[in-house]
DNA sequence: AAAAAGTCGGAATAAAAAATTCCGAAAGAT
DNA sequence: ATCTTTCGGAATTTTTTATTCCGACTTTTT
């Protein structure tokens, strides 16, 4: 239990002097960290020895130890807020609240995304990816960025990847696919017209279609051979596109890592690519 | 930034005595918390005064303050929710292990990124963003995707944003900046030549330069007016670019949300933009 | 109700720790 | 090779912490 909680719990049963000192620490923990025992005594109108005794009654060797404990407690409080704060981000929220809500939304999106996809389906996607002659990526808007991010990563592994942010170019590329190829179609709603049409075309041409959609990804999921789902916490963060994107990235990152595991020479590829890029660094 | 990171970063440039003291603190932070300056001196074979001077060189008033900072840093580090698996992803790891390692790396990157940026610096970036006549984004490679993602979001709020993935175009755009404009420069290494040159040009032209770099973002940070840091957990996940990107997105998402809070009509803008896009949906 | 026992809390003091000063040695610059 | 700067420890001063001691007040016991 954190010291602050401990002090708070015992506050009622303390002698007046101790209670006064305890209250001050609870009210101004940050200030207390900067004060010496004598200064704290002056601040509370008590004696320096009382401050030391207060520390010892709490089980510490002395005032210094108490300070360390308070510092630790404050830091932990900052990081592990008393239970994650739920609910959507509101206009009146303070900086810290927003921060906590944002991070907890992101975590939830990632965890749920991992939870909704079974290992078999991931495995199937992975095999398709690994065996593909060419990998084609489709996606518009924010999903296009995820597609591109994934493309870059796969290229680092020496894979044959095609992606363009222009949906007409994507469509043109899709018309060249065949049974040896894989199309990754990203659309959180599952209803983006361009992505849908591209997926349909790819399917007609015999390519394996992997759909990455939100939980209700109809109609895109109906076109797909392999279905992967992303869970975004739309209620929490105002613009849901944030967590939808995080969920998509969680999934593509996972596929990337798993693909590395399957490819013995992956490290060489990644290393070479990094060496090449480092030529473009200053210093 | 946590003291431990700070010590680690400066360790190389320290004088022998300081390096020895610093190394001991990095190696045994918990033990150090129980030691007095003299005891730490004895432990490292150095003098007590050197320990105090070491503390002061790091910017603290004295050894006591350093101890408080270390205690705080340790507490923050000790964030790991139960069930998190540490260590880098290895070849032999099973599906579940990889999953857990990946997610914990991502969480850590996000949390540390929030931890290293003070509210004031975020506030400054926000004000610059809010008051900017035009917002220009620079970044190459993976950072370019982050820049683009951020651009899209800001555009949804009706902001004047410029971004192109081609660095020559970015440079040309930068040449049109003036004191009323803001340049966001993304580079995890802080050393990408193109981004650096663009930032220099923007700075010369009087624009406010916001640098978003990793913890050691030199030389880009030296050009910047406002410095934001991203913490990636490079050791854990093979390709560090994953967590570096997550950290950058964490930061841009935070800025976006905070900007929404400041803009009363933000909801209208977002709503209109979503309505417009929904025309492109099937169903 | 009075004495005894115990608690509380501050002043004074002792002990410890921290911070500063000073100076010689080593490294670097000119 | 000489000058300057930096480094780092010994010694000293200052500050902070911990202990002791004692009077005032409370509670218990007889």
């Amino acid at each position: 239990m954190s010291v602050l909680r401990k002090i708070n719990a015992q506050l009622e049963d303390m002698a007046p002097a101790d209670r006064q000192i305890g209250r001050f620490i609870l009210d101004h923990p940050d200030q207390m960290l900067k004060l010496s025992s004598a200064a704290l005594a002056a601040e509370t109108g008590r004696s320096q020895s009382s401050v030391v005794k207060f520390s010892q009654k709490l089980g510490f060797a002395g005032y210094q130890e108490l300070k360390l404990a308070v510092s630790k407690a404050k830091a932990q409080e900052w990081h592990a807020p008393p239970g994650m704060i739920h609910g959507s981000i509101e206009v009146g929220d303070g900086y810290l609240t927003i921060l906590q809500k944002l991070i907890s939304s992101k975590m939830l999106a990632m965890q749920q995304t991992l939870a909704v996809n079974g290992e078999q389906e991931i495995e199937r996607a992975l095999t398709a990816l690994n065996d593909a002659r060419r990998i084609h990526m489709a996606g518009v808007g924010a999903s296009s960025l995820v597609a591109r991010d994934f493309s870059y990563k796969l290229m680092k592994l020496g894979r044959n990847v095609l992606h363009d942010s222009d949906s007409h170019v994507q469509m043109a590329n899709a018309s060249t696919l065949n049974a040896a190829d894989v199309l990754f179609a990203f659309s959180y709603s599952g209803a983006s017209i361009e992505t849908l049409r591209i997926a349909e075309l790819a399917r007609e041409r015999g390519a394996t279609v992997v759909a990455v959609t939100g939980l209700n990804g109809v109609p895109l999921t109906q076109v797909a051979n392999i279905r992967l789902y992303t869970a975004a916490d739309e209620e929490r963060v105002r613009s849901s596109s944030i967590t939808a994107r995080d969920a998509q990235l969680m999934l593509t990152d996972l596929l990337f890592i798993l693909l590395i595991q399957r490819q013995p020479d992956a490290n060489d590829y990644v290393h070479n690519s990094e060496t090449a890029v480092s030529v473009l660094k200053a210093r």
Side-chain angles (χ1 to χ4, degrees), chain A:
Chain A
M1 174 157 30
S2 111
V3 222
L4 297 177
R5 283 174 188 282
K6 192 170 179 180
I7 292 173
N8 190 50
Q10 296 184 12
L11 206 63
E12 294 310 316
D13 305 329
M14 286 178 175
D18 288 339
R19 183 155 42 215
Q20 209 167 340
I21 293 167
R23 175 126 304 284
F24 184 89
I25 295 174
L26 289 178
D27 291 343
H28 318 285
D30 292 307
Q31 196 176 337
M32 172 266 186
L33 290 175
K34 293 176 190 150
L35 298 172
S36 68
S37 61
L40 175 57
E43 205 70 39
T44 54
R46 294 295 172 161
S47 72
Q48 181 260 338
S49 63
S50 291
V51 172
V52 175
K53 284 173 192 167
F54 172 85
S55 310
Q56 293 170 335
K57 282 175 195 162
L58 281 169
F60 299 100
Y63 180 63
Q64 298 259 33
E65 264 193 25
L66 171 65
K67 266 171 92 168
L68 284 177
V70 169
S71 163
K72 190 176 159 186
K74 281 298 292 175
Q76 281 181 343
E77 186 179 299
W78 203 89
H79 240 289
M84 280 209 187
I85 298 187
H86 291 265
S88 61
I89 294 179
E90 306 294 342
V91 173
D93 287 347
Y95 176 73
L96 217 68
T97 309
I98 289 176
L99 220 104
Q100 289 167 344
K101 284 182 178 176
L102 180 60
I103 204 167
S104 68
S105 297
K106 280 169 169 270
M107 287 183 182
L108 196 67
M110 297 194 308
Q111 286 170 331
Q112 289 185 340
T113 296
L114 293 181
V116 296
N117 291 290
E119 188 175 348
Q120 309 95 314
E121 202 72 357
I122 297 269
E123 194 67 27
R124 288 184 60 207
L126 207 57
T127 303
L129 212 51
N130 198 40
D131 299 345
R133 187 181 60 117
R134 280 195 314 179
I135 301 161
H136 183 82
M137 303 269 174
V140 293
S143 294
S144 167
L145 295 179
V146 175
R148 182 160 295 248
D149 183 274
F150 196 29
S151 307
Y152 286 171
K153 289 198 171 58
L154 294 179
M155 286 175 191
K156 277 194 199 169
L157 296 181
R159 304 287 169 151
N160 229 325
V161 193
L162 270 174
H163 173 71
D164 195 286
S165 50
D166 187 309
S167 56
H168 283 226
V169 177
Q170 287 178 18
M171 180 67 93
N173 286 340
S175 70
T176 70
L177 294 177
N178 66 31
D181 301 325
V182 169
L183 173 82
F184 258 76
F186 295 91
S187 170
Y188 184 72
S189 67
S192 305
I193 292 183
E194 296 88 342
T195 307
L196 187 60
R197 296 283 171 269
I198 290 165
E200 285 167 356
L201 178 56
R203 187 66 192 273
E204 277 170 30
R205 297 194 53 84
T208 304
V209 174
V210 183
V212 180
T213 71
L215 295 176
N216 180 18
V218 184
L220 183 55
T221 48
Q222 295 172 331
V223 184
N225 302 93
I226 301 173
R227 282 166 277 274
L228 298 177
Y229 295 96
T230 53
D233 181 22
E234 317 209 15
E235 296 312 309
R236 293 257 207 107
V237 173
R238 269 279 220 343
S239 173
S240 64
S241 64
I242 288 179
T243 50
R245 180 209 59 206
D246 287 340
Q248 289 176 334
L249 289 173
M250 176 81 232
L251 209 52
T252 55
D253 289 343
L254 178 63
L255 289 171
F256 174 63
I257 296 280
L258 290 173
L259 200 59
I260 288 184
Q261 305 293 98
R262 289 211 177 176
Q263 185 173 326
D265 58 350
N267 277 326
D268 298 339
Y269 275 104
V270 173
H271 181 253
N272 287 343
S273 121
E274 277 167 11
T275 312
V277 171
S278 72
V279 172
L280 301 175
K281 302 276 177 190
R283 237 181 313 196

